[in-house]
Amino acid sequence: MSQTIHFDSDGRTLVGSLFLPEDHQDGRRHPALVMLAPMGGYKEHAPYHYAPKFAQHGYAVLAFDYSFYGESQGEPRTLEDPFAKLEDIRNAVTFLTLRQEVDAERIGLWGVCAGGGYAFNAAIGDRRVKAVGTASAMIDLAGMVTGGHGGDWRALMAAAGAARTAYARGEEAQVVPFLPPIGDDGPWRNARSFYTDPERNRVQGWKDQNVIWSYDKLVHWNPNEYVHMVAPTPILLCAGKNAETVQQSLTAHERGGDTTELFLLDGALHFDLYDQDRYTDPVVTRAAEFFAKNL
């Protein structure tokens, strides 16, 4: 069962759904999880896939659209602002602490792709978060930018600055493609198999774009540099052994220390952990055990 919810985040109204276990009864409080969408993602991109699965394991689960995306407020649209998302996550946790269906002492985060890095940062500064789980974590967004996603990164910074000035003059926000070029063999090489398939990308009217000055924010974002600060909050990293981004989970596991666990799946690619049941079902089973132990 689910219900539409709204909560405030820095003056913007965010919209999402709260999923509850089927056997929920009034007066019962459940451990809770916040689902964190990928970079450029909406609540329908992975969070809505995972939320009902976790609810079947007895969790109250919140899936929502970040600021600037989907049904939530924020201008300009499709601005990828990891710092605003950090506040969105904290405000989502606050929302859950006030819900009568939730045990406020048992709240965790579940992040997919860049949502994994967002979860790390949130858990460092918000000790209401008692455990963090990730799937196909894409943590080092700074490395993605300086590694050539979007072209020469210094030229991209110059273009972003010029676009900011133009926007301040009243022009439309300049956007750039979200997906890598066709034929790109980098970390998002199978991205098109997800976003261009209407059965997998369930967002009507989804646009392949980000506001260009998203990148002058992303160039500052690499939580793998301080993932060790999440401790003693436990972390579970789930990734496909064949995923283009698996090294990011391996690095986080190494740097995270003794409170960090790793779960690797044979044959899985990065986007397989968004919505492919043959991979996400064992991930949820493992994650449910992890959260049961740590929440």
Side-chain angles (χ1 to χ4, degrees):
M1 66 179 76
S2 67
Q3 56 185 281
T4 300
I5 57 85
H6 303 78
F7 63 93
D8 179 81
S9 185
D10 284 5
R12 296 178 292 271
T13 298
L14 306 192
V15 182
S17 295
L18 182 64
F19 295 77
L20 297 174
E22 289 297 330
D23 62 353
H24 172 73
Q25 297 178 354
D26 289 345
R28 184 178 177 187
R29 294 181 181 271
H30 305 275
L33 299 173
V34 182
M35 304 284 101
L36 305 179
M39 175 182 169
Y42 295 61
K43 58 184 179 298
E44 292 84 0
H45 294 148
Y48 270 16
H49 179 80
Y50 279 101
K53 292 179 181 289
F54 280 118
Q56 289 177 2
H57 284 270
Y59 296 91
V61 187
L62 173 62
F64 68 96
D65 280 322
Y66 296 117
S67 297
F68 315 110
Y69 285 98
E71 296 181 89
S72 293
Q73 292 181 338
E75 296 290 341
R77 307 305 291 170
T78 68
L79 174 64
E80 186 69 20
D81 185 344
F83 304 98
K85 289 187 172 184
L86 187 59
E87 285 302 302
D88 290 347
I89 296 165
R90 290 167 174 155
N91 289 317
V93 171
T94 297
F95 169 82
L96 285 178
T97 65
L98 301 177
R99 295 291 299 198
Q100 63 180 3
E101 306 96 334
V102 170
D103 182 343
E105 299 301 317
R106 304 173 67 195
I107 296 176
L109 304 178
W110 179 255
V112 178
C113 189
Y118 299 149
F120 288 169
N121 249 356
I124 290 171
D126 193 337
R127 294 297 166 170
R128 297 174 299 178
V129 174
K130 299 302 192 296
V132 173
T134 70
S136 291
M138 183 80 170
I139 305 163
D140 181 9
L141 301 183
M144 179 193 74
V145 175
T146 59
H149 182 84
D152 177 80
W153 75 271
R154 289 182 174 85
L156 190 57
M157 296 303 104
R164 285 177 178 271
T165 297
Y167 186 68
R169 289 175 178 152
E171 298 180 23
E172 294 291 323
Q174 182 181 341
V175 298
V176 293
F178 168 71
L179 292 175
I182 294 176
D184 175 38
D185 61 353
W188 287 15
R189 65 187 177 189
N190 65 341
R192 291 182 180 276
S193 67
F194 177 82
Y195 286 104
T196 62
D197 184 343
E199 293 187 4
R200 300 184 70 187
N201 182 354
R202 296 182 291 175
V203 178
Q204 296 292 324
W206 181 81
K207 295 181 179 180
D208 176 15
Q209 67 181 47
N210 276 131
V211 173
I212 190 171
W213 62 82
S214 301
Y215 289 89
D216 66 23
K217 298 174 181 289
L218 297 174
V219 77
H220 295 280
W221 190 268
N222 181 13
N224 247 340
E225 294 296 328
Y226 36 86
V227 64
H228 62 282
M229 295 171 64
V230 178
T233 302
I235 298 170
L236 172 66
L237 299 143
C238 302
K241 288 184 179 179
N242 293 357
E244 303 85 339
T245 54
V246 66
Q247 186 57 50
Q248 298 216 18
S249 292
L250 296 175
T251 299
H253 180 240
E254 177 183 356
R255 295 181 180 179
D258 294 340
T259 58
T260 305
E261 303 176 27
L262 184 66
F263 180 60
L264 299 179
L265 294 93
D266 290 331
L269 299 172
H270 179 90
F271 285 87
D272 289 337
L273 267 63
Y274 280 44
D275 66 339
Q276 298 300 293
D277 286 332
R278 67 184 182 276
Y279 297 116
T280 62
D281 283 348
V283 163
V284 169
T285 297
R286 177 67 182 86
E289 295 171 354
F290 167 80
F291 286 122
K293 180 176 66 176
N294 293 294
L295 291 184

